[in-house]
RNA sequence: GGGGAAUUAGCUCAGCUGGUAGAGCGCUGCGAUCGCACCGCAGAGGUCAGGGGUUCGAGUCCCCUAUUCUCCA
């Protein structure tokens, strides 16, 4: 690894500096300009209604029109901030919603609000949300405006203002702040949305010919088959207003670009498809930052805006080319690199690591596309790090988290690029083998195998094939790919949704559970909801498997790696004869704790009061393991590498597991140090300090937050003073001395670049040690030595065994040679070849020699007697065992030339002994199970050879 | 979640339709040399990832497990 990085990559510091220079230069120059910038705004807008006028006059910005991406973003947010919108930071690209892989739209973070599942953060909000989309990835760089990474500016109303206000502000922002001339604008409305059309026409004063009605596919928004939905209205920029107002076709990309989409959420759609008006109507809008930048900067596409162009220049510099001088293909490659560099940097910045699954796979695919397009441009050494550095520098001002993670981002890029180069090398080798067979064409199956199994890009296969004057069967490739897709689809088994559905329903309808388990292990609670056998119920009786929701609970719900508590619920029960519910696990569904278990006795009704009691022993063990996990992370940082980051963790009752990013195994020596360090901290009896504080304060104090994890504004900080400080919602011991003892059980790899340590803490250590001790004592007993001498003793035994084995093999072959020497003289001449060579046969029985040696004997005999000799030897390897027969045949070249093949011959002989066999024409081996038939078989073989050679 | 592939000497890898486990580099010794590098000769080094099965016989075929690579969702 280190050899790679030093020989393949330029030193990081040099490339980083170089990139910064390139970017600075690009900023000074600005991107090349082809379209003239839009004309200065004319005096806008006819008369608005009186209701609107007040906000409008207060709003009119006096300053210069925004032009750079940063200015556009700031102008948008300020505009809405001035209109009482709360400015919210961009959410992570990794969404809260587990059903969605990535944040694909500006409204995604607000989806729970629109669906009524979460409180609104404010009546009005505005944000610039980073997004990733890869469904149109093939179009990136080919069209003017497809992106994988983009920023969506949005203003949102959660049951506050609605259609007319949203439309008027959108227009005002576009014309007054961004200075777009009304003659350059066209709007679309949903086919049936007369209201929106009337507002555009009568309130805003848009020319009716420039209001286009669109159908459901384009202008009706819904988040799913059911739920809130409503019509949209979009604003388009018209690059060629001189073409007139008649026959406007908004699909014409060369003339129009959509830059602002307003969604009017006003209906709820039920399962039957019926729309009912919503009581609380919402506004959800999106303006593509890159698109607005393209319009205001007067450049022909989004890639040449100041949001991306510096990266194109960086890549062009690395390739030694100039963007404006390139042909379309080259420009496309640079655009892809520019676009994807932003995406991968942001993804890694939000904690995604390259892998074969989920979003990690999306990241990997993007990374590899960057490398490939770099190669197309002639970049022949690693350059991803340089692109990452440039992208971080370009975006860090608005996304400061990138700067904080610079080291980790660049390291991930380096690792992943090196891995891909290995893949490419292997693929090229395999393809060379295919080409060496001089086929007429590379078949679809071959190309697909290279792609599917070895990850070798199709385009490269095509390219290399072309160099050899060959084509690739693309249709065959597509067919194979389609087959693969079908397989994956067919195998996608739907998990048991019904059970999950009932719980989801119950959880969605319940209030957040109040967790009391930090202070108390016993707590009076009220049963809010019950699910029996997967269906919501009012009542559960003895024997039922239940899932239940309480108003408050001392039970810890599984989360943050720690398992849920176990325990019992007890109460008077419905009949008054007492109810007991055994709780076996607690999970969380959003902020509702779901207790799963079994009713042991009595009846439980919704509304019952119960005493919830956590199993103290289990909890204590979990706490010991959890605090130990924190100590482990601290020790790893101290002993191995301060940059070690958590990649996952499990805290169970009887063990703990900690996964972390680390490029190499942790040595046995280091593991010992870690153990000693942790046990030292335990012995020092540190009191833990747990407090809630604002996240910024926690970070400033140096608390370790999990990379890529999302945290609320107020977080819980678990502090072992002087040793470890982490953000953590789990439960912990009050003093490290409670852990008692810590022991590492194993260290190993779980995935490339990720190591796993398994350990035990607290009482579980004793159980583990006792088991180990039992094994050691039993070994000592068997070997009749002291435990400390076992290793030495076993080593000596191994050496002895090996030596004995060798001596035995040597003795066997010596014996075989001796027996063979005695047999050589007994060869019988039965004929002569046409060349005058004597043909001799030697058919003998030789017991007590195992197969491999017998073969050596036969071959030696054949060589000794001559090329015209046919040797057949059969015997019992173990004279006492009639169930196993070995037969060998060694035919000299003259015998083979005479038409006899050892393999076929010996097979026939073996049949007589109840077996079979084969081999090469000159040497063959066979076996059988009937030792009593051996003599007869050998006799027959001799006759047959006599006949054949005589 | 579903496919495909790989795992053989310290390292990089051959080993075809089952039939005596190999090469290159590295290592050790000897030779050659004033000495070193190169070179020549000899040698050590393998439970063919682990477990089960088929077969007279499995590195090779089948199944399971582990690890790594890779594609699809």
């Amino acid at each position: 690894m280190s050899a790679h990085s030093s020989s393949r990559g330029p030193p990081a510091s040099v490339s980083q500096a170089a990139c910064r220079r390139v970017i600075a230069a690009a900023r000074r120059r600005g991107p090349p300009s082809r379209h003239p910038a839009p004309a200065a705004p004319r005096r806008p807008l006819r008369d608005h209604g009186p209701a609107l006028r007040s906000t409008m006059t207060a709003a009119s910005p006096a300053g210069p029109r925004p032009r750079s991406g940063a200015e556009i973003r700031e102008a948008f947010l300020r505009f809405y901030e001035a209109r009482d919108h709360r400015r919210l930071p961009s959410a992570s690209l990794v969404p809260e919603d587990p059903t969605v892989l990535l944040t694909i739209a500006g409204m995604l973070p607000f989806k729970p609000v629109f669906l009524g599942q979460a409180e609104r953060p404010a009546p009005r909000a505005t944000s610039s949300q980073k997004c990733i989309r890869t469904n149109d990835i093939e179009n990136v760089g080919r069209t003017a405006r497809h992106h994988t990474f983009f920023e969506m500016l949005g203003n949102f109303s959660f049951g506050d203002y609605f259609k007319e206000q949203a439309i008027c502000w959108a227009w005002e922002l576009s014309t007054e702040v961004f200075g777009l001339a009304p003659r350059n604008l066209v709007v679309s409305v949903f086919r049936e949305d007369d209201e929106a059309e009337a507002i555009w026409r009568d309130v805003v004063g848009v020319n009716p010919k420039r209001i286009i009605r669109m159908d459901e596919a384009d202008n009706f928004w819904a988040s799913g088959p059911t739920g809130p939905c409503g019509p949209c209205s979009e604003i388009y920029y018209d690059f060629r207003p001189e073409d007139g107002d008649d026959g406007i076709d908004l699909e014409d990309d060369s003339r129009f670009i959509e830059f602002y989409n307003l969604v009017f959420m006003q209906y709820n759609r039920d399962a039957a498809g019926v729309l009912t008006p919503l009581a609380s109507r919402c506004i959800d809008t999106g303006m593509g930052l890159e698109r607005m930048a393209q319009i205001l900067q007067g450049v022909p596409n989004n890639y040449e805006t100041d949001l991306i162009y510096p990266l194109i220049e960086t890549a062009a510099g690395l390739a030694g080319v100039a963007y404006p001088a390139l042909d379309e293909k080259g420009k496309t490659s640079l655009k892809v690199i520019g676009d994807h560099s932003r995406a991968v940097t942001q993804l890694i910045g939000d904690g995604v690591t390259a892998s074969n699954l989920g979003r990690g796979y999306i990241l990997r695919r993007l990374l590899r596309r960057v490398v490939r397009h770099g190669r197309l441009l002639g970049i022949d050494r690693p350059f991803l790090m340089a692109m990452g550095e440039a992208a971080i520098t370009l975006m860090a001002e608005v996304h400061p988290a990138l700067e904080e993670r610079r080291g980790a981002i660049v390291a991930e890029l380096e690792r992943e690029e090196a891995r891909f180069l290995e893949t490419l090398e292997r693929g090229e080798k395999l393809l060379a083998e295919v080409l060496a067979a001089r086929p007429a064409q590379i078949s679809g199956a071959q190309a697909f195998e290279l792609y599917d199994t070895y990850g070798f890009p199709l385009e490269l296969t095509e390219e290399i094939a072309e160099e050899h004057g060959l084509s690739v069967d693309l249709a065959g490739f597509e067919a194979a790919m389609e087959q693969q897709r079908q397989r994956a689809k067919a195998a996608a088994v739907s998990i048991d949704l019904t059970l999950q559905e009932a719980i989801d329903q119950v959880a969605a309808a319940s209030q957040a559970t109040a967790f009391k388990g930090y202070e108390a292990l016993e707590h009076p609670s009220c049963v809010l909801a019950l699910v029996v056998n997967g269906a919501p119920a009012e009542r559960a009786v003895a024997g039922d498997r239940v899932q239940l929701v309480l108003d408050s609970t001392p039970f810890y719900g599984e989360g943050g790696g720690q398992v849920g508590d176990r325990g019992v619920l007890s109460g008077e029960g419905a009949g008054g004869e007492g109810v007991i519910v055994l709780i076996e696990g607690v999970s969380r569904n959003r902020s509702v704790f779901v207790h799963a278990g079994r009713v042991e006795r009595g009846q439980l009704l919704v509304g019952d009061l119960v005493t919830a009691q956590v199993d103290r022993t289990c909890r204590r063990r979990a706490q010991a393991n959890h605090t130990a996990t924190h100590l482990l992370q601290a020790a790893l940082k101290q002993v191995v590498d301060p940059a070690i980051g958590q990649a996952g963790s499990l805290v169970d009752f009887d063990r703990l597991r900690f996964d972390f990013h680390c490029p190499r195994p942790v040595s046995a020596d280091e593991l010992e140090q870690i153990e000693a360090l942790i046990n030292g901290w335990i012995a020092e009896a540190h009191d833990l300090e747990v407090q809630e504080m604002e996240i910024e304060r926690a970070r400033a104090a140096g608390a370790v937050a999990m990379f890529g994890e999302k945290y609320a504004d107020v977080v819980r900080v678990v502090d072992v003073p002087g040793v470890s400080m982490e953000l953590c919602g789990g439960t912990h011991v009050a003093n490290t001395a409670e852990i008692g003892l810590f022991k590492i059980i194993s260290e190993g790899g779980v995935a490339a670049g990720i190591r796993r340590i398994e350990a035990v803490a607290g009482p579980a250590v004793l159980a583990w040690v006792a088991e180990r001790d039992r094994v050691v004592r039993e070994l000592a007993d068997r070997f009749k030595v002291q435990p400390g001498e076992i290793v030495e003793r076993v080593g000596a035994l191994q050496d002895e065994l090996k030596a004995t084995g060798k001596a035995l093999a040597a003795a066997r072959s010596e014996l075989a040679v001796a027996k063979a020497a005695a047999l050589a003289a007994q060869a019988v001449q039965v004929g002569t070849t046409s060349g005058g060579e004597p043909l001799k046969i030697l058919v003998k029985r030789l017991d007590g020699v195992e197969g491999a040696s017998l073969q050596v004997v036969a071959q030696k005999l054949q060589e000794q007697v001559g090329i015209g000799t046919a040797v057949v030897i059969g015997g019992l390897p173990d004279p006492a065992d009639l169930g196993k027969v070995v037969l060998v045949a060694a035919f000299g070249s003259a015998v083979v030339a005479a038409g006899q093949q050892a393999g076929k011959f010996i097979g026939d002989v073996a049949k007589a002994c109840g077996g079979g066999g084969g081999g090469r024409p000159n040497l063959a081996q066979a076996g059988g199970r009937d030792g009593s038939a051996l003599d007869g078989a050998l006799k027959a073989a001799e006759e047959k050879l006599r006949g054949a050679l005589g």
Side-chain angles (χ1 to χ4, degrees):
Chain A
M1 219 42 191
S2 61
H4 283 182
S5 53
S6 59
S7 65
R8 285 183 179 165
S13 55
V14 173
S15 65
Q16 191 174 327
C19 294
R20 288 199 170 124
R21 279 198 301 279
V22 171
I23 289 173
R27 279 193 177 143
R28 281 194 302 276
R29 274 197 305 281
S33 175
R34 265 190 247 149
H35 284 295
R42 303 176 178 181
R43 230 17 258 167
L45 299 189
R46 299 187 199 165
D47 193 28
H48 295 133
L52 288 164
R53 192 174 290 147
S54 57
T55 64
M56 300 277 322
T57 46
S60 300
R65 270 171 35 203
R67 185 176 161 91
S68 74
E71 287 165 0
I72 292 168
R73 187 189 297 110
E74 188 56 30
F76 183 100
L77 295 172
R78 274 213 191 132
F79 178 85
Y80 283 104
E81 238 177 347
R83 284 153 186 79
D84 295 328
H85 288 63
R86 179 160 166 208
R87 186 197 285 221
L88 296 172
S90 174
S92 168
L93 286 169
V94 178
E96 307 259 354
D97 184 345
T99 63
V100 187
L101 223 47
L102 293 165
T103 299
I104 52 167
M107 58 74 69
L108 194 76
F110 302 116
K111 204 168 153 191
V113 178
F114 291 130
L115 294 175
Q117 294 164 341
E119 288 286 309
R120 59 183 191 181
R124 306 172 179 185
T126 182
S127 69
S128 175
Q129 175 63 47
K130 46 190 183 178
C131 304
I132 294 262
R133 271 189 211 177
T134 55
N135 38 354
D136 280 334
I137 196 169
E138 289 307 322
N139 282 330
V140 172
R142 296 181 201 280
T143 70
R145 59 192 74 125
H146 273 93
H147 293 297
T148 52
F149 175 85
F150 57 94
E151 280 183 75
M152 196 54 93
L153 299 161
N155 54 291
F156 305 91
S157 157
F158 307 112
D160 194 59
Y161 65 86
F162 199 56
K163 202 175 286 185
E164 178 166 331
Q165 186 67 83
I167 288 176
C168 289
W169 277 339
W171 184 262
E172 184 188 349
L173 176 68
S174 305
T175 56
E176 304 244 329
V177 178
F178 294 137
L180 305 178
R183 66 185 294 262
N184 284 103
L185 300 180
V186 178
V187 301
S188 70
V189 296
F190 177 51
R191 182 165 23 90
E192 293 159 27
D193 193 357
D194 298 332
E195 188 189 358
E197 183 181 26
I199 296 169
W200 284 116
R201 188 185 59 228
D202 302 334
V203 182
V204 179
V206 174
N207 176 353
K209 284 189 166 179
R210 296 182 76 87
I211 304 174
I212 312 295
R213 290 196 175 225
M214 306 276 271
D215 63 16
E216 198 151 354
D218 292 302
N219 279 45
F220 196 88
W221 178 90
S223 79
T226 62
C229 55
C232 320
S233 184
E234 300 162 330
I235 312 181
Y236 288 72
Y237 187 80
D238 180 358
F239 289 109
R240 296 197 306 269
E242 61 276 13
D243 285 6
D245 300 336
D246 295 317
I248 282 178
D249 174 17
L250 290 176
E251 304 281 314
D252 179 0
D253 276 354
S254 66
R255 180 173 171 188
F256 299 104
I257 175 172
E258 176 214 332
F259 66 88
Y260 208 169
N261 184 10
L262 315 174
V263 179
F264 313 122
M265 238 174 274
Q266 61 189 91
Y267 302 114
N268 184 58
R269 180 149 54 190
D270 65 19
V274 178
L275 298 178
T276 50
L278 281 172
S280 162
R281 300 183 299 182
C282 295
I283 291 291
D284 155 32
T285 77
M287 172 186 286
L289 173 63
E290 290 78 8
R291 292 185 177 195
M292 186 48 83
Q294 181 202 337
I295 295 167
L296 293 182
Q297 292 170 17
V299 290
N301 57 62
N302 290 3
Y303 310 102
E304 294 181 27
T305 64
D306 69 332
L307 293 164
I308 302 179
Y309 196 71
L311 299 177
I312 289 183
E313 292 236 295
T314 302
L318 290 165
V321 298
Y323 175 81
L326 285 177
D327 60 7
E328 271 316 304
K329 207 177 140 205
K331 281 185 176 169
T332 299
S333 286
L334 280 175
K335 288 173 187 170
V336 170
I337 294 174
D339 171 88
H340 290 11
S341 296
R342 296 205 312 165
V344 298
T345 305
Q346 290 278 4
L347 275 171
I348 302 172
D350 274 341
V352 179
T353 51
S355 75
N356 307 328
L357 319 153
R359 51 183 83 94
Y361 183 58
I362 290 177
L363 170 61
R364 174 166 285 172
R365 224 162 37 177
L366 289 169
L367 283 166
R368 297 191 166 187
R369 282 171 57 92
V370 176
V371 176
R372 235 185 53 227
H373 281 280
R375 283 168 68 110
L376 285 178
L377 289 165
I379 304 179
D380 55 0
R381 61 206 156 83
F383 71 106
L384 269 189
M385 293 169 73
M387 290 311 303
E389 296 275 11
I392 293 168
T393 305
L394 178 65
M395 299 188 288
E397 213 169 298
V398 186
H399 305 277
L402 292 176
E403 191 60 63
E404 282 170 32
R405 308 242 8 124
R406 185 183 281 268
I409 293 170
V410 173
E412 174 75 5
L413 291 171
E414 182 186 20
R415 265 199 303 273
E416 194 55 23
E417 181 166 34
R419 203 171 295 160
F420 187 43
L421 290 177
E422 279 172 28
T423 301
L424 289 181
E425 251 170 61
R426 192 177 46 175
E428 277 165 7
K429 206 173 144 192
L430 288 165
L431 183 53
E433 277 173 31
V434 171
L435 289 168
R438 302 187 165 278
Q441 190 193 31
I442 306 283
S443 75
Q446 282 168 329
F448 184 72
E449 191 194 356
L450 279 167
Y451 176 74
D452 180 58
T453 303
Y454 300 102
F456 196 69
L458 174 65
E459 292 86 342
L460 276 182
T461 303
E462 282 185 271
E463 203 179 294
I464 294 171
E466 208 171 305
E467 284 167 16
H468 288 73
L470 295 178
S471 65
V472 177
D473 175 14
L474 293 178
F477 178 90
E478 239 348 283
M481 178 71 98
E482 187 50 37
Q483 226 173 347
Q484 147 103 314
R485 262 195 278 266
Q486 290 305 326
R487 245 200 324 265
K489 205 179 278 181
V493 275
S494 53
I495 43 172
D496 191 356
L497 281 176
T498 52
L499 188 66
Q500 193 57 37
E501 241 170 47
I503 297 159
D504 278 346
Q505 257 173 34
V506 166
S510 302
Q511 64 186 66
T513 309
F515 179 58
K516 301 291 180 189
Y518 291 133
E519 314 90 53
L521 291 183
E522 195 177 315
H523 185 78
S525 304
C526 176
V527 178
L528 293 185
L530 276 172
V531 172
V532 177
N533 297 327
E538 283 298 309
R539 197 174 85 114
V541 298
D544 280 349
R545 299 217 67 87
V546 294
Q547 288 169 300
L548 53 92
V549 177
L550 303 173
D551 62 335
S552 60
T553 182
F555 283 81
Y556 184 80
E558 180 170 343
Q562 184 178 336
V563 294
D565 277 326
R566 293 179 193 169
V568 290
L569 305 182
S570 55
E572 289 180 10
E577 82 281 21
V579 60
I580 292 180
V581 184
L582 214 59
I583 301 298
E584 291 156 348
V586 181
S587 60
R588 295 187 212 182
N589 195 314
R590 299 204 173 83
S591 51
V592 176
F593 286 42
V594 179
H595 304 67
R598 218 166 76 97
V599 181
E600 287 299 303
R601 202 176 79 194
Q603 294 186 19
L604 190 69
L605 295 183
V606 171
D608 274 359
L609 284 176
V610 292
T611 301
Q613 217 175 335
V614 174
D615 181 324
R616 285 166 194 277
T617 310
C618 284
R619 167 64 85 81
R620 257 205 304 275
R621 287 169 166 240
Q623 292 186 164
N625 280 327
H626 202 154
T627 307
T629 304
H630 285 207
L631 298 183
L632 174 58
Q633 183 169 5
L636 276 166
K637 282 177 192 284
Q638 202 163 319
V639 173
V640 182
D641 183 355
I644 272 181
Q646 180 172 346
S649 134
L650 171 74
V651 175
D652 207 336
F653 301 122
D654 50 4
R655 71 200 164 105
L656 66 94
R657 202 167 70 194
F658 186 72
D659 297 347
F660 53 99
H661 293 278
C662 185
R664 60 172 179 90
V666 182
S667 71
D669 190 46
E670 286 170 323
L671 291 175
E672 266 178 44
Q673 281 181 51
I674 289 167
E675 258 177 22
L677 204 51
I678 292 173
N679 282 311
W681 288 329
I682 293 170
E684 283 161 22
H686 295 273
D687 274 325
L688 267 72
E689 287 170 18
V690 179
Q691 48 180 316
E692 301 208 328
M693 59 175 82
E694 280 172 14
I695 185 149
E696 293 312 324
R697 237 187 87 208
R699 283 231 167 87
V704 175
M706 202 175 143
F707 183 25
E709 192 77 5
K710 296 164 293 289
Y711 294 97
D713 295 345
V714 173
V715 294
R716 198 158 168 274
V717 177
V718 176
D719 186 12
V720 184
V723 176
S724 144
M725 178 154 48
E726 284 191 50
L727 303 187
C728 179
T731 65
H732 288 269
V733 297
N735 184 293
T736 56
E738 287 174 46
I739 299 171
L741 205 53
F742 175 86
K743 176 82 194 128
I744 292 174
I745 305 301
S746 72
E747 191 273 349
V750 276
I754 298 179
R755 310 294 302 176
R756 166 174 295 174
I757 285 181
E758 288 185 296
V760 289
V765 180
L766 278 182
W768 185 83
V769 169
E771 169 62 17
R772 246 329 126 89
D773 188 49
R774 195 189 59 74
V775 172
V776 169
R777 270 191 300 189
E778 193 175 322
L779 283 174
D781 195 41
R782 274 199 201 185
F783 288 123
K784 307 266 187 280
V785 294
Q786 292 301 306
E789 293 164 352
I790 293 176
V791 172
E792 199 185 328
R793 181 89 178 101
V794 168
L797 281 172
Q798 280 177 322
D799 289 347
E800 199 183 320
L801 188 65
K802 210 170 197 175
T804 309
K806 277 192 178 170
L808 182 64
R812 271 188 183 147
S813 69
E814 219 170 285
L815 180 70
V817 169
K819 286 182 178 172
L823 292 175
Q826 299 178 31
V828 180
Q829 180 162 0
V830 294
T832 313
T833 64
S834 50
E837 184 75 30
L839 286 170
K840 299 179 176 178
I841 61 172
L842 181 58
V843 181
K844 290 291 167 190
R845 173 161 177 168
L846 196 56
D847 287 350
V849 180
E850 49 85 35
S853 303
L854 207 63
Q855 218 169 88
V856 174
V857 169
Q859 193 167 19
K860 281 220 158 95
L861 281 171
Q862 181 268 309
E863 281 164 6
Q864 207 172 327
V865 182
I867 58 166
T869 315
V871 179
V872 175
I873 301 178
L876 306 175
D878 177 2
D881 179 11
L882 278 177
K884 188 168 167 77
V885 178
V886 176
L887 291 156
V888 295
F891 287 5
S893 54
V895 180
V896 177
Q900 291 304 303
Q901 299 222 333
K904 285 183 183 155
F905 187 84
I906 203 74
D908 290 340
V909 178
K911 271 181 201 151
C913 302
R920 295 190 301 260
N922 64 322
L923 185 68
Q925 184 181 5
R929 292 167 187 263
D930 184 5
S932 61
L934 179 59
D935 284 327
L938 286 174
K939 191 114 194 142
E942 187 171 352
E943 290 308 316
K944 200 171 160 196
L945 272 180
R946 225 179 255 281
L949 300 176

